[in-house]
Each structure stands twice: as C-alpha cells, then as structure tokens.
Amino acid sequence: MSSGFTLHLQSAALYECIEGVDSFVGQDASGSFGILSGRARFITVLAYGLARFRLANGKWHYLACPGAVLSFADNQLFLNTRRYLRDDDCQRVSELLNGQLAAEEAELKSVKDNLQRLEHELFRRLHQLDRWPV
C-alpha cells in the first residue's frame, strides 16, 4: 500500500487521479487549512484562488480554481470544480489565475447579470399582461 492519500481532481472537462499525496493546503471561508493522510472525514467549499499539494517526493504542485467542493474520507480527497489549472510553478499558475481565470469569472458574471436583467424584464411584462382586461 502506498503512503499518503489519493487526490481526485475533477472538472467539467477533466479528471486526474494523483496517488501518493502527502499533504494538501487550501483556503475556505474560515481561512487556510491543511489535510494529511488519516484525517477524519471533512467537507468544505474552497474559495477562489490557489491551493497546493505535496507528493511523497517532496515536490509541491499548485492548483488555481474559481472555487470548488472538497471532500475527504478514507484517504481519498475529491476536489470538484467547474475548471482548474495545475502547474508545478507557483508564479506561473498565479499569473494564469490572475489572467485567464479572472477573465472567465468576469465573463461569467456578465452572463449572470444579463440573465438576471432578462428575468426581471420578463416578470415585469408578465405582471403587465396580468393586469390587462381579457
């Protein structure tokens, strides 16, 4: 049996299974936290930003994601997100987070805002129709 735990990275378009993870460091609404092998069951929602994990060889790997659901049980860590970027270079993944993911998040916010305005206008017009005599 290998040491450490298994990390399952899952997005809408990609799945990676990484074995032999010694530790994981992330951040949720309460602040930074770490996960080591053998930890009790745990579930949280990661904040937008960077997380990292270390393999048995001591090398750190970095993840950028626009938030994620994270669960840990039986030495299996599942990270489910809409999209993630992974790199061994913290600087490079930070730049991707600030550029590519930030632009995607801004575009998604714009789409959500447009849908909200459309919904508001639809309800306003339905309300007007409801007041017309038949």
Side-chain angles (χ1 to χ4, degrees), residues 20-103:
V21 176
D22 276 348
S23 67
F24 178 90
V25 178
Q27 183 175 351
D28 62 10
S30 66
S32 293
F33 63 89
I35 295 176
L36 298 172
S37 183
R39 188 193 199 301
R41 286 180 173 262
F42 179 72
I43 190 167
T44 191
V45 176
L46 290 181
Y48 177 95
L50 288 177
R52 63 184 177 174
F53 62 94
R54 186 179 63 216
L55 297 177
N57 64 10
K59 187 170 183 169
W60 284 99
H61 299 265
Y62 301 90
L63 297 170
C65 61
V69 175
L70 182 138
S71 62
F72 184 83
D74 301 323
N75 274 342
Q76 302 288 313
L77 177 63
F78 293 89
L79 191 145
N80 298 286
T81 182
R82 187 174 71 252
R83 178 152 157 62
Y84 70 88
L85 302 168
R86 178 179 157 208
D87 202 310
D88 297 342
D89 184 327
C90 183
Q91 182 65 33
R92 190 168 41 229
V93 80
S94 292
E95 289 169 2
L96 288 171
L97 177 67
N98 291 330
Q100 187 177 352
L101 281 181

Side-chain angles (χ1 to χ4, degrees), residues 7-21:
L7 172 60
H8 302 270
L9 296 174
Q10 301 174 123
S11 74
L14 189 61
Y15 170 78
E16 292 182 77
C17 180
I18 303 163
E19 304 223 7
V21 176

